Amino acid sequence: MASRGDATRDRLLDATIQLVRDVGYAQTTTRAIAQAAGVAEGTLYRHYPDKAGLFAAAVGRQSAPVTAWARDLPARAGAGTVAGNLTDCLTRLATLRTDIVPFELAMLTDPDLGRAAAAARTAEPGPPEFLTQYLQAEQHLGRIRADLDPAKIAVVLLATLFGLAVPSQRTTDALGGSWPDITDAVHILIDGIGTPARPDDTARPAADHR
Amino acid sequence: MASRGDATRDRLLDATIQLVRDVGYAQTTTRAIAQAAGVAEGTLYRHYPDKAGLFAAAVGRQSAPVTAWARDLPARAGAGTVAGNLTDCLTRLATLRTDIVPFELAMLTDPDLGRAAAAARTAEPGPPEFLTQYLQAEQHLGRIRADLDPAKIAVVLLATLFGLAVPSQRTTDALGGSWPDITDAVHILIDGIGTPARPDDTARPAADHR
Amino acid sequence: MASRGDATRDRLLDATIQLVRDVGYAQTTTRAIAQAAGVAEGTLYRHYPDKAGLFAAAVGRQSAPVTAWARDLPARAGAGTVAGNLTDCLTRLATLRTDIVPFELAMLTDPDLGRAAAAARTAEPGPPEFLTQYLQAEQHLGRIRADLDPAKIAVVLLATLFGLAVPSQRTTDALGGSWPDITDAVHILIDGIGTPARPDDTARPAADHR
Amino acid sequence: MASRGDATRDRLLDATIQLVRDVGYAQTTTRAIAQAAGVAEGTLYRHYPDKAGLFAAAVGRQSAPVTAWARDLPARAGAGTVAGNLTDCLTRLATLRTDIVPFELAMLTDPDLGRAAAAARTAEPGPPEFLTQYLQAEQHLGRIRADLDPAKIAVVLLATLFGLAVPSQRTTDALGGSWPDITDAVHILIDGIGTPARPDDTARPAADHR
DNA sequence: GATGAATGAGTATTCATTCAT
DNA sequence: CATGAATGAATACTCATTCAT
């Protein structure tokens, strides 16, 4: 049973997310939010302690479905192919996180906002943990190299995903025409960019690459 | 012969870079910059047309040595190991770019600033182009898989580097303890995370990974 | 039913008009206006888009009663004497326009302000048009020389009025003691300063005066 | 023998007059003046105590030739026609004063500037006095109505001249197409706008027009 | 005399937040 | 619960003036 207050809260969160996505964090003022939500400026403070609190709630609401979906990830180990699973996973994360990235950038730009969001965050496991668990499971099944730390792989995967979602302007200008999609990135990460060791290689120690 | 004006310009750039790094772009006001540089607020505008111009100059000064260094990159193809070269390259980029990342974030957060910086940027080739050239050269030497687009590899490498340098708060909280260093990341990217196809594997075609 | 906002708007306009009249446009800062109006500086921007908008509104409010009064002017043609009507008209214009002159001067000094005011101005007829119509009507009644363009007469009348209201400092210093009032000026303009043609003058064509 | 300092002073005055005429007083900053004069900003203060002093000097230099010319005016009484003399006089004043009007406006807008200029002004007679003397002389010759105060006529003439030179924006918009030239204005002022008394009028009392 | 870098008080404007209605 | 007018500290930027060179 959604009360009037709940509806107002939803409208405020919708407006916030839309504005941050469309005009950027710098232009997302409380006045703009209230106007987009169709409420008075003061109303915002009836539902959230301050602007940072509203933003934290927006991030939270956006994160919830992503986290819910990621919960099933470990159970998929062994099914299909690793590449398929990761492509699926990262594609979904990318899609769902599109609206979150501007918030993450804003938090990095404005430490105060970051602190507020961190305070609002629960300690529950999220995509990073679930992805790590999935990779660990695949490692036990022999489908991921045994000499790698699953957590580190997860960080590299998520970092690459983030880096592709938030490209430095300079790189976009230079190489925007060859921008890889997630399938490309997963392919590179799964198989590596190095030429595979040939069967007659007597030894192909990791040290070769260091 | 450094004139007084040059010294002031340097002090302003130093102060800007330091403040953006330490307190974030949002708090880097013209007043704070002038104070940190030990000059009056008006002095800033004797040397730069406006705040965005100052930031663009700061980015430019930071970028110059990186670009200069990256110019030699393609010539290193074939020497040492690919992993070693890339680790060296990315380590250097990471070190040098530490101060640039906050600016890139600020540009993403504040479109106006991004526009000003883009206007000040020259069309000269930079790290993305040089890295692409290096990868292409290695590919011709047979040390990089022939089926990959060097530009896409470059983007993935730089995106990963960027993503590791600017971690989403959420991931840091979850997996900060297992944060990979650049050597780890290069290792993963060179060899891939998948278990290598063994020669006697009757069927473990690359398709498995797609 | 005057809302609180209307009262604030009025106070802002009053303060603006008073300050421009008393301390001059150059000293009429937003801070001074807000202080004189007894509101915070930011309040100004809740009611007007910017300083120029406030000034345009002030001019508009001052002009309204003048224009309303001038509307009846043409209908007075034929009644009383021309001199009486014009003296009445110009006296009234002078009185009502006392507060407008500083704004007109400010617009001439600061082109930006002039543009803003011009944008806010309606195309409706005002004193210049009504005065022209009045003069035209009197001309048809034979009380104004037939060889003069009513519009040009109106311009000369208004220019003289303006010139008397905004005297050059130099002239005031020199002849301030003999400053003519509006009755004097109208007398001069109606009858002319030249000695009237005497009946026995055989010909005294207008060309004599050129 | 013009020293270097004299040349610099001249360049500063030229630049000031040109800028005030072209871009308006509000935009005539000391920096713009120095740049237009081709000198450093600080140089201005070597020759004039402050900005107001420079402006006062500029007004003074502009006024000198006008005053010199006007000195001969009273001696012309009786020669040619009154209309011709006045048209000539006012035309010349208008031409010469074109560059002064913006300064007079600026003084009216900014009382501080006006005070500085007044302080710099000499008590010597100028155009207002000379025009008054001329009118008085013509009056004695019977070419100007005897019932008018010459000083008041002079003020009305100069006020009209000023009003025509600095038209209120509103009037220009409305009647700009019928803007009278000086000949028109003099014609109106000499002969008046009222219909002339007919010869058979036994009396042509002023009361007719009041 | 001339320079031009430095100054710092001052400007218009923004915006998160409060509070009387 | 909701409103929206009011707030005032903060911001980027300007400009007349000073002073070491």
Side-chain angles (χ1 to χ4, degrees), chain B residues 121-183:
Chain B
R121 197 160 37 226
T122 69
E124 297 202 344
E129 288 92 341
F130 294 129
L131 181 57
T132 302
Q133 290 171 18
Y134 166 76
L135 291 168
Q136 203 161 20
E138 292 283 17
Q139 206 174 38
H140 286 143
L141 295 172
R143 304 212 297 179
I144 297 263
R145 299 169 59 96
D147 60 334
L148 298 175
D149 176 349
K152 288 189 178 179
I153 300 175
V155 173
V156 169
L157 280 168
L158 293 170
T160 305
L161 181 67
F162 184 83
L164 290 175
V166 185
S168 104
Q169 192 64 44
R170 182 68 189 78
T171 306
T172 310
D173 287 355
L175 304 178
S178 302
W179 207 260
D181 59 21
I182 287 175
T183 303

Side-chain angles (χ1 to χ4, degrees), chain A residues 157-179:
Chain A
L157 281 168
L158 292 171
T160 304
L161 181 68
F162 183 82
L164 289 175
V166 186
S168 103
Q169 191 64 43
R170 183 67 190 76
T171 306
T172 310
D173 287 354
L175 304 178
S178 302
W179 207 260

Side-chain angles (χ1 to χ4, degrees), chain D residues 34-125:
Chain D
Q35 190 176 339
V39 302
E41 276 189 77
T43 301
L44 195 159
Y45 293 88
R46 224 155 249 296
H47 297 281
Y48 300 98
D50 53 16
K51 196 188 179 188
L54 169 64
F55 277 75
V59 172
R61 203 185 68 168
Q62 290 295 94
S63 301
V66 187
T67 299
W69 177 84
R71 186 162 287 120
D72 299 331
L73 197 51
R76 299 179 63 180
T81 63
V82 173
N85 289 338
L86 285 181
T87 300
D88 187 22
C89 168
L90 295 186
T91 300
R92 200 168 293 257
L93 284 179
T95 305
L96 296 171
R97 276 183 50 191
T98 294
D99 290 338
I100 301 186
V101 166
F103 284 95
E104 298 195 319
L105 291 173
M107 288 174 209
L108 291 161
T109 295
D110 186 347
D112 293 341
L113 184 61
R115 270 187 287 277
R121 198 156 38 227
T122 68
E124 298 201 343

Side-chain angles (χ1 to χ4, degrees), chain A residues 144-165:
Chain A
I144 296 263
R145 298 169 60 94
D147 60 335
L148 298 174
D149 176 350
K152 288 189 180 180
I153 300 175
V155 173
V156 169
L157 281 168
L158 292 171
T160 304
L161 181 68
F162 183 82
L164 289 175

Side-chain angles (χ1 to χ4, degrees), chain C residues 2-3 7 17 27 52 58 74 106 117 120 132 146 156 159 175 180 191 194 200 202 206:
Chain C
S3 70
I17 291 162
Q27 312 238 35
T132 301
V156 169
L175 304 178
D191 292 330
D200 53 354
T202 47

